Amino acid sequence: MKTQQLLTTHPLVSQLEEVNLSHPFTELGWLTGCVGQEALIRAWYPKASQITVCSTDGAIEQQMTCIDHRGLFELGNADVFAGAYRLRIDSPYAPQVECWDPYAFKQCSYQGLEQLEQSLRSWYRVLGAQLMTMPAGNHTVNGVRFVVYAPNASSVSVIGDFNHWDGRRHPMERCLDGHWVLFMPELKAGQRYKYELKDKQGAQLPHKADPIGFYAEQYPSLASVIWDHSDYEWTDQRWQEREVDPPIHQPMSIYEVHIGSWKRKHNSFGWASLSYRELATELVEYVKEMGYTHIELMPISEHPFDGSWGYQPVGLFSPTSRYGNPDDFKYFIDCCHQAGIGVIIDWVPAHFPADAHGLARFDGTTLYEYSDPRRGWHKDWNSYIYDFGRDTVRRFLIASALIWFDYYHVDGLRVDAVASMLYWDYSREEGEWIPNVDGGNQNYEAISLLKWFNEEVYREFPRALTVAEESTAFSGVSRPTYLGGLGFGFKWNMGWMHDSLQYMQQDPLFRKYHHNEITFAMVYNYDENFILPLSHDEVVHGKGALLGKMPGDEWQQAANLRVYTAFMFAHPGKKLSFMGNEIAQVSEWNHDGSVEWTVLEYPRHYAQQALTKALNHVYRQHPALYEGDHQHEGFKWIDYNDWQRSILAFERHALSSDDMVIVVCNFTPTPVQSYRLGVPQAGHYQVIFNSDDESYWGSGMVEVACIIAQPLPWQGRGYSIVIPLPPLAAIYLVATKDS
């Protein structure tokens, strides 16, 4: 009777019913030190009619007393159970259930939390929904330990199918540093869950997906899903083994892919995207046959809106479930590695969407975003900006980068929208931004974060690649942090892309007046480790396909695209081209559609595909075309000043051998019957590639395959050769040893 009187005046039942309890470990489960009791078991199960406490061996059973009809039960003198017991629950609304009591696992619920300050990898090994085994007397119990960071919430509950999405059922325990924990016995991988939070004032927030969730459902549930990362058995044993040469001396020809629209299949519901496992066969085989070295995936982090292409992610720790589960994605990467193909994925730390189930005002406050909209809101993308100065946000972001290497074996990350992170005034008018402490426009917090990100990635995974999409002249993007740089391995050369495309869009008659646009990139080529991108950004939003940017009639358009592609492969810098470019797709990219594979029925399209395939193989066979991309020794102009005829000639040199490739480009439709070209040595010169070859739908003007150098100095060289130069064409030559 004393216990009943105590509880009828105690606010516990109201707190539980209204979901306002922040420390359930002191009120529920196996308790000691209660008034008049040696030990007490207290259980809270709304709608339960009877609860029986059972010993783990089933030998002892004692019925609990219902203290409040809303679902609070107690059992006094409970020392015999000593924290290891099961509950048998009867309810008029559901079948009888026997289960372990989550609130009997209090001390072990904190297991590993101290690691969060010691290791960034611990953020995804400790936080979120972790499958764990806990001691229970002489037994062990499998289950899931949930940990979520919400320091400004007044209460947090874990909800899911296992408790009918009822926030009253499983309130979590608040730790001193703002994490909330609860171990749920007998939960398994595949079960859905979310968090129910109340803000400081006790107002309930929209149900939140797990910020460290490993798997999630699509609309309408958008629920997080428990996942076991230990199940998959990798077969790519050589992944991340250190090679002799660093990536800057290796060939990199990257095929950029939007998974959802690379190829579609027809099913009973209409047209659908290929799954990860289907892509592991079809995409991998295609990329290998075409000769690309890497696949770059547009963001595959979980995102709610298809139309964002993945650039508005809510799940930085989970591959999108649109195409399969996490193991399916691992299988795709595994198959890529077995085929000798590296995988780069786009990573988006610059911003996140305002979707209610995501990170926005996660605990009722601006926990992840800057609070001032002049710093915390992107008006261009209608998205929030991470608070790059907050330690927990910085650790969250870097951990979200490491997991892709650690759990998914990716080879590289391409960081999206770096320029928007570096500058406070990015895409903002005067008065719309706040200067830094020195009165300038650089975001020191973001700069510091990017440096730390690169240091952690390369420290943990020395053979990794990090790539910056950075469109300004910010100095040292791909220089080591110890030299004052940001530490990226590579930077997209947006200047080359802009200038060269602008040049190619000119009528060839007027290209001579824009000659500097096609040569200017060599002025700054050695400032950074560049990748030359012809990405998805160039074929959307009304820009049209690459083929449509080329001037002239049907043949000239195709010839322009061929010479441009060949010029790109010969120019210093690693290569990246978006899917569809390799077949001269006619329409601009549509994320709801597919690459226009049907155009391969026509000559100019399968010719462009054949040309791209040939270039990939020539590129990989000649170290001259990649080893010296970032060293002065790797490139020499032969003639960059023939602006009146719009002709360029240059040499590419290997660093590890005497391999040399000479490249001549004619950017006009006017053929030159006898073009004299300076060469550095005597001997024979063989044409190894000609974009005007008939097999590429060219004119077939060049028939001679080998030319003998004459001892006639020309263009600063001691020897020269005379070759026919086809219209709108590029020719590669190599010196051959005399027999």
Side-chain angles (χ1 to χ4, degrees):
M1 181 62 68
K2 290 182 179 180
T3 302
Q4 187 172 356
Q5 289 177 345
L6 175 64
L7 289 175
T8 53
T9 60
H10 197 281
L12 178 61
V13 175
S14 295
Q15 285 182 283
L16 290 166
E17 182 71 20
E18 297 170 9
V19 197
N20 283 328
L21 189 64
S22 59
H23 293 287
F25 285 3
T26 62
E27 304 290 351
L28 300 176
W30 194 80
L31 306 170
T32 58
C34 298
V35 177
Q37 310 282 343
E38 289 188 6
L40 173 73
I41 294 177
R42 186 181 292 146
W44 165 247
Y45 279 87
K47 299 183 179 179
S49 59
Q50 178 177 300
I51 300 180
T52 303
V53 182
C54 308
S55 62
T56 56
D57 59 5
I60 304 174
E61 296 184 359
Q62 295 186 23
Q63 186 173 321
M64 303 185 77
T65 302
C66 181
I67 301 302
D68 190 289
H69 70 280
R70 289 172 289 183
L72 190 65
F73 293 78
E74 281 189 1
L75 176 66
N77 297 314
D79 299 78
V80 65
F81 296 104
Y85 59 88
R86 292 174 65 81
L87 301 176
R88 185 184 304 130
I89 303 163
D90 292 281
S91 170
Y93 308 101
Q96 186 182 77
V97 174
E98 186 171 320
C99 61
W100 295 92
D101 183 0
Y103 298 98
F105 298 86
K106 298 175 183 179
Q107 295 303 319
C108 48
S109 292
Y110 298 105
Q111 180 179 319
L113 292 184
E114 71 283 353
Q115 298 174 19
L116 294 174
E117 293 298 321
Q118 302 166 8
S119 167
L120 289 170
R121 290 197 195 190
S122 67
W123 277 64
Y124 51 82
R125 294 177 177 178
V126 173
L127 299 179
Q130 302 287 341
L131 290 159
M132 302 180 74
T133 300
M134 297 293 192
N138 295 326
H139 298 263
T140 57
V141 179
N142 295 324
V144 176
R145 198 269 304 276
F146 296 92
V147 184
V148 63
Y149 182 65
N152 302 300
S154 59
S155 69
V156 179
S157 297
V158 59
I159 56 176
D161 293 325
F162 44 82
N163 60 16
H164 308 291
W165 302 91
D166 186 348
R168 299 173 301 166
R169 291 285 299 277
H170 292 113
M172 301 177 73
E173 175 77 8
R174 179 187 175 92
C175 304
L176 292 177
D177 60 354
H179 287 90
W180 300 74
V181 302
L182 184 65
F183 176 72
M184 295 285 291
E186 299 176 306
L187 290 193
K188 299 178 181 178
Q191 293 182 275
R192 304 184 304 163
Y193 71 99
K194 279 186 176 179
Y195 296 114
E196 182 176 295
L197 300 90
K198 289 191 173 182
D199 64 15
K200 288 181 178 179
Q201 289 72 40
Q204 184 173 310
L205 301 170
H207 289 169
K208 295 289 188 178
D210 194 339
I212 318 288
F214 301 132
Y215 187 31
E217 285 194 331
Q218 296 300 307
Y219 179 86
S221 80
L222 302 171
S224 299
V225 180
I226 299 167
W227 194 256
D228 185 358
H229 274 296
S230 66
D231 279 351
Y232 188 81
E233 294 184 7
W234 289 93
T235 61
D236 60 345
Q237 286 81 6
R238 295 199 60 196
W239 176 78
Q240 280 293 317
E241 286 184 7
R242 184 182 292 276
E243 293 182 356
V244 175
D245 292 330
I248 60 170
H249 298 317
Q250 293 294 316
M252 286 179 61
S253 178
I254 305 166
Y255 188 59
E256 187 190 23
V257 176
H258 177 259
I259 283 182
S261 59
W262 180 71
K263 185 181 287 187
R264 298 263 175 159
K265 62 184 178 183
H266 194 269
N267 58 27
S268 57
F269 300 101
W271 291 96
S273 304
L274 300 185
S275 68
Y276 291 128
R277 289 187 178 264
E278 289 169 327
L279 290 162
T281 299
E282 296 193 38
L283 177 59
V284 171
E285 287 180 356
Y286 178 75
V287 168
K288 183 176 182 179
E289 179 186 356
M290 289 294 294
Y292 293 101
T293 64
H294 292 74
I295 294 172
E296 179 173 319
L297 301 177
M298 291 169 65
I300 48 83
S301 298
E302 193 55 83
H303 53 281
F305 178 45
D306 288 351
S308 76
W309 314 333
Y311 290 104
Q312 294 278 14
V314 296
L316 289 185
F317 294 78
S318 57
T320 179
S321 61
R322 286 168 173 80
Y323 319 114
N325 63 44
D327 281 359
D328 296 331
F329 183 61
K330 292 175 184 178
Y331 178 78
F332 166 75
I333 295 181
D334 212 346
C335 289
C336 287
H337 289 167
Q338 296 305 316
I341 299 166
V343 180
I344 302 168
I345 66 171
D346 282 9
W347 179 59
V348 188
H351 54 94
F352 62 92
D355 294 71
H357 72 288
L359 299 178
R361 298 193 68 84
F362 186 79
D363 62 0
T365 68
T366 53
L367 183 63
Y368 287 90
E369 63 269 35
Y370 286 111
S371 57
D372 192 316
R374 291 174 294 176
R375 289 188 169 178
W377 182 254
H378 264 308
K379 62 179 184 177
D380 289 356
W381 303 316
N382 288 324
S383 57
Y384 287 108
I385 303 170
Y386 289 102
D387 185 343
F388 301 121
R390 187 174 295 170
D391 184 62
T392 51
V393 175
R394 293 161 66 86
R395 291 176 179 272
F396 168 84
L397 288 174
I398 297 177
S400 78
L402 295 178
I403 193 174
W404 296 104
F405 296 99
D406 193 2
Y407 282 4
Y408 294 101
H409 289 199
V410 302
D411 299 277
L413 296 179
R414 175 259 193 188
V415 184
D416 178 66
V418 170
S420 74
M421 300 172 66
L422 296 177
Y423 301 102
W424 290 120
D425 60 346
Y426 180 86
S427 194
R428 295 178 187 270
E429 302 295 332
E430 186 175 352
E432 296 179 343
W433 59 283
I434 304 173
N436 60 33
V437 293
D438 296 319
N441 66 342
Q442 290 190 359
N443 185 342
Y444 295 150
E445 297 166 355
I447 293 170
S448 169
L449 171 72
L450 291 170
K451 290 181 177 181
W452 189 20
F453 151 74
N454 280 302
E455 289 168 351
E456 287 294 328
V457 167
Y458 285 111
R459 182 175 65 83
E460 297 283 356
F461 306 98
R463 282 194 58 228
L465 304 171
T466 62
V467 183
E469 185 217 11
E470 204 286 309
S471 55
T472 74
F474 191 93
S475 179
V477 172
S478 59
R479 293 292 176 262
T481 56
Y482 61 81
L483 294 178
L486 292 182
F488 284 94
F490 296 93
K491 172 182 173 176
W492 273 18
N493 194 338
M494 310 294 279
W496 174 88
M497 176 275 298
H498 176 270
D499 292 347
S500 63
L501 269 181
Q502 184 165 287
Y503 176 84
M504 292 305 301
Q505 291 178 84
Q506 301 293 332
D507 187 306
L509 181 64
F510 303 111
R511 281 179 179 162
K512 61 184 177 181
Y513 303 116
H514 300 269
H515 195 67
N516 66 304
E517 292 174 0
I518 201 70
T519 62
F520 183 66
M522 288 309 303
V523 173
Y524 60 85
N525 182 72
Y526 307 106
D527 294 347
E528 304 279 359
N529 299 331
F530 283 122
I531 291 176
L532 310 181
L534 293 176
S535 74
H536 66 277
D537 280 330
E538 314 322 316
V539 293
V540 290
H541 300 318
K543 297 176 185 176
L546 280 187
L547 182 66
K549 301 178 192 293
M550 303 296 121
D553 59 23
E554 183 177 336
W555 187 89
Q556 288 190 3
Q557 276 191 315
N560 270 300
L561 185 55
R562 291 195 300 270
V563 67
Y564 184 41
T565 306
F567 171 71
M568 174 187 182
F569 270 88
H571 194 284
K574 309 308 180 185
K575 327 300 175 188
L576 179 141
S577 192
F578 186 55
M579 63 184 196
N581 291 347
E582 82 280 10
I583 63 170
Q585 178 163 314
V586 176
S587 302
E588 77 173 21
W589 170 55
N590 174 14
H591 72 272
D592 285 326
S594 169
V595 173
E596 293 178 331
W597 300 109
T598 55
V599 302
L600 289 174
E601 299 173 8
Y602 303 98
R604 67 171 177 171
H605 299 285
Y606 67 69
Q608 177 68 22
Q609 186 185 49
L611 173 132
T612 304
K613 179 178 178 179
L615 281 169
N616 268 325
H617 288 285
V618 169
Y619 170 67
R620 297 175 69 168
Q621 290 165 3
H622 287 274
L625 294 175
Y626 58 79
E627 278 189 352
D629 280 334
H630 313 295
Q631 281 78 32
H632 290 275
E633 298 84 356
F635 177 91
K636 293 180 182 178
W637 282 114
I638 297 175
D639 190 353
Y640 63 87
N641 205 32
D642 196 349
W643 61 273
Q644 291 194 358
R645 294 191 293 178
S646 299
I647 295 174
L648 292 178
F650 53 86
E651 300 170 5
R652 295 299 312 276
H653 291 269
L655 303 180
S656 62
S657 67
D658 59 359
D659 185 43
M660 175 186 68
V661 177
I662 295 175
V663 181
V664 187
C665 299
N666 178 10
F667 289 107
T668 74
T670 303
V672 180
Q673 295 296 331
S674 299
Y675 179 78
R676 183 167 292 278
L677 174 70
V679 294
Q681 62 193 43
H684 293 74
Y685 286 81
Q686 180 181 359
V687 176
I688 61 168
F689 174 81
N690 172 18
S691 70
D692 189 57
D693 192 279
E694 288 181 338
S695 61
Y696 307 136
W697 210 48
S699 70
M701 174 180 166
V702 176
E703 296 181 356
V704 62
C706 193
I707 308 103
I708 301 175
Q710 303 170 357
L712 175 62
W714 198 257
Q715 295 170 323
R717 271 70 177 169
Y719 299 84
S720 60
I721 59 175
V722 176
I723 58 172
L725 199 55
L728 295 171
I731 292 177
Y732 296 3
L733 304 102
V734 297
T736 61
K737 294 181 179 180
D738 293 331
S739 56

